[in-house]
Amino acid sequence: MRNDKNYKQAIEQANANLTDLRKRGADAIGGDALELVRQLLTPEEIAASKLRVAMMMELVNARKERGISQKKLEELSGVSQPVIARMEKGDTSPQVDTVLKVLAPLGKTLAVVPLEK
C-alpha cells in the first residue's frame, strides 16, 4: 500500500466525493444514463444506433444458430475474423458490402423496408 501524501489526499478526496454524491442522490450525476444519451444524441442518431445494434444481433444469432465459429465465417465470407469480431461487438461501423459478405454464408441478406410509424 502506498503511503505518500498525494495518494492519501486523493483517497480522502474520492471518499469526500462519494459521500457528497450519496447525499445528493442521482441528480448529482445527471440522472440516469439513458437520459444523458437522449440529451447528447439526436433522435436520428439514436435510431441509427439501435438499427446497428439490431443488425449485429441478427448476425450473431444467425451465426450461432448455424453453429459457425467466427473463424469458419471468415473462411466462408472472405472477411477476416478480427473484423467479424469487431462487427459483432459493435466496435466498428462496417460498410454495407462487408455486411453483405458476412450475411450471405449465413443465408441472410439486407432488405429495405418501410419505417414503422
Side-chain angles (χ1 to χ4, degrees):
M1 183 150 103
R2 295 180 57 170
N3 290 321
D4 65 33
K5 184 178 177 181
N6 290 337
Y7 181 76
K8 286 181 181 179
Q9 287 176 336
I11 295 296
E12 289 172 9
Q13 185 61 53
N15 285 329
N17 290 346
L18 283 172
T19 300
D20 180 56
L21 284 173
R22 286 186 186 115
K23 286 179 187 174
R24 293 190 295 152
D27 290 340
I29 55 173
D32 65 52
L34 292 177
E35 182 57 34
L36 179 61
V37 168
R38 285 187 209 101
Q39 291 173 5
L40 295 175
L41 302 176
T42 66
E44 293 80 15
E45 290 170 323
I46 293 170
S49 177
K50 286 181 179 181
L51 179 60
R52 277 191 301 276
V53 169
M55 187 170 57
M56 291 307 112
M57 287 177 63
E58 280 293 321
L59 187 151
V60 172
N61 290 339
R63 182 179 62 75
K64 289 182 177 180
E65 284 172 2
R66 292 189 177 256
I68 298 174
S69 68
Q70 289 179 348
K71 191 66 177 167
K72 182 65 176 175
L73 188 54
E74 172 186 53
E75 295 169 18
L76 298 170
S77 68
V79 176
S80 73
Q81 182 275 326
V83 170
I84 293 169
R86 286 193 301 271
M87 286 171 62
E88 289 186 0
K89 281 198 250 174
D91 290 347
T92 186
S93 186
Q95 293 185 0
V96 173
D97 62 333
T98 304
V99 174
L100 291 171
K101 286 179 186 177
V102 172
L103 288 175
L106 301 173
K108 303 281 184 174
T109 191
L110 293 178
V112 177
V113 297
L115 293 173
E116 293 179 17
K117 293 188 181 193

